[in-house]
Amino acid sequence: MYGLDETDRIKIRRIFQRRWVSRDAFSYLHNVSPRKASAVEIAGSIGASRTSVLGALRGVSTGYREEESLAHFGLVMHEKQVVNGRPVIVYSLTPLGFEEKGLMENVDADQKRASIK
């Protein structure tokens, strides 16, 4: 599997700096892996709305553009599962998402440097 190029890494770092929901959803999926999680579960765990989480993961028409979503960069995937007889879409990190976990550490370091100034 190929990793991200440096341009995409820069874009993702900027998204993580601007959108805490994207950053926290990515981190949450990393922490619960290999288990998959629904948007409702992620939203409840990070203190965000379900719509914001869906926007961060897949993009929506307002607020979170598809080209800024975690799925667009190949970091997150989704699939349907049946839970209690009802279809539910669940999310997990892709192998590339695990490979690029270092993006979070870079954002954390950038934020710490900015708060010192």
Side-chain angles (χ1 to χ4, degrees):
M1 168 142 312
Y2 299 103
L4 297 168
D5 65 23
E6 192 55 33
T7 302
D8 284 343
R9 282 189 187 94
I10 291 168
K11 288 178 186 176
I12 293 166
R13 280 188 219 116
R14 286 183 183 153
I15 290 166
F16 283 168
Q17 288 170 341
R18 286 191 332 261
R19 301 191 183 279
W20 68 269
V21 174
S22 296
R23 182 184 64 238
D24 288 3
F26 181 81
S27 181
Y28 181 79
L29 288 172
H30 186 273
N31 291 337
V32 300
S33 185
R35 193 171 61 76
K36 297 169 174 60
S38 70
V40 171
E41 176 186 342
I42 297 167
S45 295
I46 68 172
S49 72
R50 181 182 146 282
T51 303
S52 293
V53 169
L54 287 173
L57 297 173
R58 295 189 311 192
V60 291
S61 60
T62 58
Y64 291 86
R65 297 188 315 232
E66 184 179 340
E67 61 271 10
E68 292 185 348
S69 71
L70 298 175
H72 172 79
F73 289 102
L75 301 174
V76 171
M77 63 184 172
H78 68 279
E79 64 183 57
K80 275 189 183 176
Q81 288 185 346
V82 177
V83 177
N84 297 328
R86 300 184 76 187
V88 175
I89 297 176
V90 292
Y91 298 86
S92 61
L93 291 186
T94 63
L96 178 62
F98 279 106
E99 184 179 309
E100 296 294 339
K101 177 61 174 136
L103 291 167
M104 292 300 300
E105 285 81 28
N106 290 336
V107 170
D108 292 341
D110 290 346
Q111 288 176 337
K112 286 177 185 169
R113 277 195 297 275
S115 68
I116 293 171
K117 291 180 181 177

